[in-house]
Every structure is written in C-alpha cells, then in structure tokens.
C-alpha cells in the first residue's frame, strides 16, 4: 500500500470544490433509466448518453472523478477512443464499481448484504492497470418493522472494511458507501439513529482491518425523513442533523465525505449540500457523489437524440456547476435556470 499516493488521490478528488459523478448504474438499472425516455437498453445507448456527460466542455472544473460500471471502463467511443481516456485527458479520475450487488440475507430476507469479496484483490489489480484510481462498494441498510438488525449492520460493515483493505492493497482509493435508504415512512430522528449506529460500526471495522483513513472517501446518505414520512424535515434540519451525525461518527483523518443523493430531487440535493457547507468549516471536505441528482435533467434533455447533444452538455454543465458552488456554500436557488 502506497499511503502517500492513496491520500493524494483521495484528497485530490474533494479539492477545489469538485465532486464525483456516479455513472456506474448496472446494466438493468440503466435499462430503467433509459425506459424513462423510451430508449432501448443497448450498449450503444448506454455509451452515447455517458459519453455526452464526459464530453461536456468545462465539466472538469466541477467533477474530479467518475464512477464507472465495468462495461464503461474499457468501452470505446465511435472514433475508437476509450471513454476512460476522455476522462483522464481532462484530469478526471476514472473509478470503478467493484461490488456484485446487494442480495437478501439468508437469516433476514428483508435485509440485504453486499457481495463481491471473492477474487476482489485480483480484480482491483486489473482495474488499476485499466486506468481506475478509485473504487466503490455500496452497502444497503433498510429501515422498517424491526429492521435494520444488528447482524445486517455488522455484516455489511465488515464486508465494507474488507473491501476497503483489498482496494488499498491494490492502490485504489476505496469509496466506502453505507447507504441508509430513504424508502419508508420513518422519521428523520430514526434515520439519524440508524445512520449513526451504521457509521460507528463501519469505522470500527475499518480500524480492525487496518484501513488507512486518509486514503478513503466516505459516501453516506444525508440524515433525512423517509420518503413516505408525513413530516419532512426542513433544509436546515437536514443539514444540521447530518453534520451532527457525521461529527459524532467520522474521524477527522477522513479527507472527504461525498454524499449520495438517494432519491432527493436535483435541487434538494444541491440545497442540502450547500446548507451544510454554509454552516462553516468541518474536519472533512463535504462534497457530492451524485447519480440521479446529476443526471436526471441531462437524460431527459438528451432523449436519445444526437440533435440534443449541445443542450445536454449545457444542462449537465449547469447541474455540475451548481453542486460545485454548494461545496463552498455559494449556491443560491436564484442561479437555477
Ligand atoms: P444516487 O445519487 O442516485 O443515490 O446514486 C449514487 C450512487 O452511486 C448510489 O450507489
């Protein structure tokens, strides 16, 4: 493990108010996204939309890393250029999703455990050779009747830690993503409790595995009411409870926290990040690693048509810029178009 270079990549990703685009939807998930615009889930459509995002002029001012699905890491544009080379040529780090999905747990089938540890170190070595410099593993924690169980939190935390160690041994910066889902009618207070317990368990396991904290990024959910909860927290409550939860659970050696959007609208995800950064300095950089909250409008604008490329670039550029402004608390809703 080369600690110096891992720390350099991790802190570089969250430097200068930049963040991450999560474009690592699995092929079936990408199918659901393309269905929203009545497009078929072909390799060409997946590539053309993702290439439109990567080709956007100036997006490198706001985006420092892109998480790719395995297909995209080695995929070529029509002119033969590898998509990952387009990113590298702009100073954007290519990253790779390395988990094999969240599967129902034998002992508690309504809960999930993320798989993918078998042969992981060898795969990471190969991804590094192919240009990846960071990786992602997503654990999923569901809130519901009697869940999450301690066993689910513990098993996912343990797998996240083993993943993080394998990545660092192969010189990839691990993004550690324990996502407490927004699905359900739980209150923001319940989300807080579950998120805190999950994060504390994850950091205990990371320590047990000997993971080097300056060489990771944490990708958590924000502390937010369930999507079906009647009482939705206001913007400041989400920001304050999220920062409190992170302050209680995340060691200061972690260079950056890059939130997932988790089903928030594009503007909500930007507003919440902005409100947290407006609160003042934190021990870690607070940035974004959004999937839907960076891509939704761009996907609708593209609509599967080459003729819409210029407007797609403009829409994606705008969204990325708004989130970059939110990294310094300088976003305002009056800047929305
Ligand atoms: P969302 O921002 O759409 O939640 O996606 C981020 C991600 O990568 C989830 O693993």
């Amino acid at each position: 493990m080369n600690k110096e270079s891992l720390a350099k990549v991790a802190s570089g990703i969250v430097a200068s108010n930049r963040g991450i685009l999560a474009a690592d939807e699995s092929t079936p998930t990408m199918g659901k996204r393309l269905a929203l615009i009545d497009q078929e889930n072909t390799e060409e459509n997946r590539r053309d939309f993702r290439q439109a995002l990567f080709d956007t002029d100036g997006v490198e001012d706001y985006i420092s890393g892109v998480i790719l699905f395995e297909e995209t890491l080695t995929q070529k544009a029509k002119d033969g250029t590898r998509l990952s080379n387009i990113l590298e040529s702009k100073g954007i780090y290519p990253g790779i999703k390395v988990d094999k999905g969240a599967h129902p747990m034998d002992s508690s089938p309504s809960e999930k455990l993320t798989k993918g540890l078998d042969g992981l170190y060898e795969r990471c070595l190969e991804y590094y050779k192919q240009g990846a410099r960071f990786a992602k593993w997503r654990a999923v924690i569901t809130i519901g009747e009697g869940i999450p169980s301690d066993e689910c939190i513990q098993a996912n935390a343990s797998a996240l830690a083993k993943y993080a160690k394998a990545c660092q041994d192969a010189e990839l910066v691990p993004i550690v993503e324990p996502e407490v889902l927004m699905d359900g009618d739980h209150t923001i207070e319940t989300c807080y409790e579950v998120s805190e317990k999950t994060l504390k368990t994850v950091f205990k396991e990371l320590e047990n595995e000997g993971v080097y904290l300056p060489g990771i990024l944490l990708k958590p959910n924000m502390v937010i009411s369930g999507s079906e909860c009647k009482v939705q927290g206001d913007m400041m409550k989400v920001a304050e409870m999220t920062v409190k939860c992170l302050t209680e659970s995340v060691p200061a050696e972690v260079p950056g926290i890059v939130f997932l959007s988790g089903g928030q609208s594009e503007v909500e995800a930007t507003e919440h990040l902005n409100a947290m950064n407006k609160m003042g300095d934190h021990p870690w950089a607070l940035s974004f690693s959004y999937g839907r909250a960076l891509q939704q409008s761009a996907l609708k604008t593209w609509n599967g048509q080459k003729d819409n490329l210029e407007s797609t670039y403009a829409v994606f550029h705008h969204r990325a810029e708004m989130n970059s402004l939110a990294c310094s608390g300088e976003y305002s809703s009056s800047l929305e178009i």
Side-chain angles (χ1 to χ4, degrees), residues 56-324:
T56 298
D57 256 353
V59 80
E60 61 276 17
D61 294 340
Y62 317 119
I63 302 284
S64 51
V66 177
I67 315 173
L68 305 172
F69 192 57
E70 200 165 13
E71 171 183 89
T72 323
L73 185 62
T74 50
Q75 201 170 30
K76 289 186 173 142
K78 274 206 182 73
D79 70 0
T81 317
R82 275 179 51 173
L83 296 195
S84 58
N85 291 146
I86 299 177
L87 298 174
E88 284 161 1
S89 70
K90 296 179 153 195
I92 298 177
Y93 289 113
I96 178 81
K97 169 196 171 81
V98 301
D99 68 66
K100 298 277 186 194
H103 300 270
M105 289 177 70
D106 294 339
S107 54
S108 175
S110 60
E111 300 190 273
K112 289 183 170 166
L113 175 61
T114 302
K115 303 249 166 97
L117 290 173
D118 285 348
L120 178 61
Y121 171 68
E122 289 73 21
R123 284 196 286 131
C124 286
L125 291 175
E126 193 55 33
Y127 294 139
Y128 185 94
K129 274 194 223 150
Q130 290 168 341
R133 291 295 174 267
F134 70 100
K136 163 184 143 176
W137 175 292
R138 173 175 177 254
V140 181
I141 307 293
T142 311
I143 299 179
E145 203 55 43
I147 58 171
S149 63
D150 289 350
E151 191 191 348
C152 172
I153 293 177
Q154 182 57 47
N156 273 296
S158 162
L160 271 169
K162 290 191 168 74
Y163 139 81
K165 183 64 169 55
C167 284
Q168 290 191 332
D169 286 344
E171 311 305 342
L172 293 178
V173 168
I175 294 189
V176 174
E177 180 177 5
E179 174 173 7
V180 177
L181 292 179
M182 269 175 81
D183 302 353
D185 60 4
H186 54 271
T187 61
I188 190 167
E189 286 77 17
T190 302
C191 178
Y192 181 98
E193 267 171 50
V194 173
S195 302
E196 184 180 29
K197 184 170 180 179
T198 302
L199 289 170
K200 286 191 165 153
T201 311
V202 166
F203 279 97
K204 204 160 117 264
E205 286 302 314
L206 291 172
E207 193 189 330
N208 288 346
E209 285 295 329
V211 172
Y212 177 60
L213 295 186
I216 74 163
L217 292 169
L218 176 71
K219 177 164 173 169
N221 53 285
M222 294 183 193
V223 174
I224 197 162
S225 316
S227 45
E228 258 108 70
C229 178
K230 288 196 190 76
V231 191
Q232 291 293 321
D234 62 26
M235 184 175 73
M236 278 321 294
K237 191 164 181 189
V238 171
E240 281 166 9
M241 288 184 75
T242 303
V243 168
K244 183 164 187 295
C245 182
L246 295 169
T247 306
E248 299 289 330
S249 340
V250 184
E253 299 101 286
V254 173
I257 296 178
V258 290
F259 293 100
L260 57 93
S261 58
Q264 300 178 55
S265 72
E266 291 181 328
V267 170
E268 271 169 353
T270 308
E271 281 179 343
H272 287 146
L273 178 62
N274 188 61
M276 286 183 240
N277 280 311
K278 250 190 148 151
M279 287 167 66
D281 282 340
H282 305 293
W284 353 258
L286 292 183
S287 181
F288 57 91
S289 174
Y290 295 157
R292 286 162 287 177
L294 272 170
Q295 296 185 52
Q296 248 159 22
S297 299
L299 182 69
K300 277 194 208 131
T301 305
W302 175 62
N303 203 27
Q305 309 300 316
K306 265 207 290 303
D307 289 351
N308 296 337
L309 276 177
E310 289 302 328
S311 42
T312 306
Y313 299 149
V315 165
F316 181 55
H317 186 278
H318 170 73
R319 202 69 251 140
E321 184 180 11
M322 294 301 101
N323 283 307
S324 173

